[in-house]
Amino acid sequence: MEESIQKLLKLAKECLSIVDSSTLKDKEITMLIQSAMSDLERLKIDVKGHIEDNLVKNTIIIYVKAHFGDGDMDKRIEYLKRYKANLRELQFSEEYKVKGVDSNA
């Protein structure tokens, strides 16, 4: 598994209050991390180039928290609102865009 995914998995487990030694939900969490990254890439956000950036990491973790398990629906809705707000910040910032991509296309 890619090193950045491993780091995000560790961070996600910490944010979900899952002990690092527990691996029962690793596949689900990894799938959600990859889904979040794909969603960001779909919006032409340079995830790989900014994987250590706190806004990018926070956006991925919020996505995971919004979609993980069967938690409190009100919290999930709040996480989705925060995720969409972060997406807007990333999407409209030239700093995070994939270089060489015309945003008007």
Side-chain angles (χ1 to χ4, degrees):
M1 191 180 302
E2 193 177 317
E3 183 182 348
S4 59
I5 301 287
Q6 280 290 81
K7 287 180 181 179
L8 287 167
L9 175 61
K10 183 177 175 71
L11 178 60
K13 287 169 72 170
E14 183 179 315
C15 292
L16 292 167
S17 300
I18 298 173
V19 295
D20 193 44
S21 60
S22 175
T23 59
L24 182 63
K25 296 292 185 175
D26 283 7
K27 285 183 182 179
E28 179 180 1
I29 297 168
T30 299
M31 177 190 64
L32 292 170
I33 290 167
Q34 291 170 330
S35 294
M37 292 172 78
S38 292
D39 196 37
L40 292 169
E41 289 167 354
R42 177 184 62 83
L43 296 172
K44 308 296 185 232
I45 296 166
D46 183 13
V47 177
K48 290 182 171 89
H50 293 90
I51 198 64
E52 293 298 325
D53 183 278
N54 284 329
L55 180 57
V56 171
K57 287 193 289 190
N58 180 262
T59 303
I60 292 168
I61 297 304
I62 288 171
Y63 181 96
V64 171
K65 290 180 87 168
H67 293 90
F68 181 77
D70 298 321
D72 180 343
M73 189 54 76
D74 290 333
K75 283 185 180 180
R76 292 179 77 179
I77 290 169
E78 184 59 33
Y79 287 133
L80 286 172
K81 286 180 186 176
R82 289 174 49 198
Y83 176 72
K84 288 177 182 178
N86 279 13
L87 282 183
R88 280 190 299 276
E89 293 298 320
L90 291 166
Q91 192 174 14
F92 295 113
S93 172
E94 289 297 321
E95 175 185 349
Y96 293 99
K97 290 188 181 183
V98 174
K99 303 300 182 229
V101 173
D102 183 7
S103 60
N104 295 323

